[in-house]
Amino acid sequence: ARFDPATEKWVLFQQNTPGNGITYGMAVDSEDNGWWSEFYADKVAKQNTKTTSTVFPFYAKAQEVQIHDPGYDARLELATPADLEFYKSIGAETWGNQSSSPLPFADRPRRMAPDKTGSTVWVPNWAGENLAEVDIHTLKVTYHPLPIHGHPYKVAVDKQHNVWADIPLGDSIAKLNPTTQAWTVYRLASHGCGSRD
């Protein structure tokens, strides 16, 4: 939901995937579009904030971007047909709630950040061990595997367009230079601190 303090009006933005897709992280890109992650559904949503319904001016539907990194299909193939039927029966990646553990093949997008002077939104994929770079115009997704094993929780983008990712279970902060594709890993001084931001 967006609140405009000048007009004191609210607008509700609704994702298309039904049920509990849990909004986990939010961002506003360089063109004032709203974004959020659908943690259980392996999707991120984009909402053009300048467009609302003429029938229901308080309601606007979003575009959704599927988050499936290049290793997703190989992980999916490890599931048996019975596994997949069970996941479907409990609403996995749609209406169900798998908060205790991700599906074995999931990416699990978390706390994203925009490049405020660029044309991308960056999404940390917790279970996929990668960062997703989403073009805000084309919605094309480019994946950047982490240089270490760990689960990226939150990202930030600096004024040089570098992307910083907190990796709590790896006791590290990692920086990606999108121009050179070079990673720098900063090990934290304490073991098991579990930093998130």
Side-chain angles (χ1 to χ4, degrees), residues 112-123:
M112 63 183 68
D115 184 336
K116 294 300 272 181
T117 59
S119 60
T120 55
V121 168
W122 290 85
V123 182

Side-chain angles (χ1 to χ4, degrees), residues 81-166:
D83 292 336
L84 297 175
E85 185 60 34
F86 172 73
Y87 297 145
K88 183 178 176 183
S89 76
I90 63 169
E93 296 195 315
T94 55
W95 54 266
N97 179 340
Q98 299 86 48
S99 60
S100 59
S101 63
L103 296 175
F105 42 83
D107 271 288
R108 289 284 178 112
R110 283 201 152 167
R111 301 195 186 282
M112 63 183 68
D115 184 336
K116 294 300 272 181
T117 59
S119 60
T120 55
V121 168
W122 290 85
V123 182
N125 291 314
W126 174 262
E129 295 190 349
N130 65 74
L131 302 184
E133 174 187 6
V134 184
D135 184 294
I136 66 173
H137 300 120
T138 65
L139 305 183
K140 179 183 180 227
V141 184
T142 304
Y143 296 93
H144 304 271
L146 293 180
I148 61 171
H149 284 295
H151 303 287
Y153 182 76
K154 185 174 180 180
V155 294
V157 183
D158 68 25
K159 62 185 177 180
Q160 281 86 35
H161 310 286
N162 295 308
V163 185
W164 296 78
D166 187 64

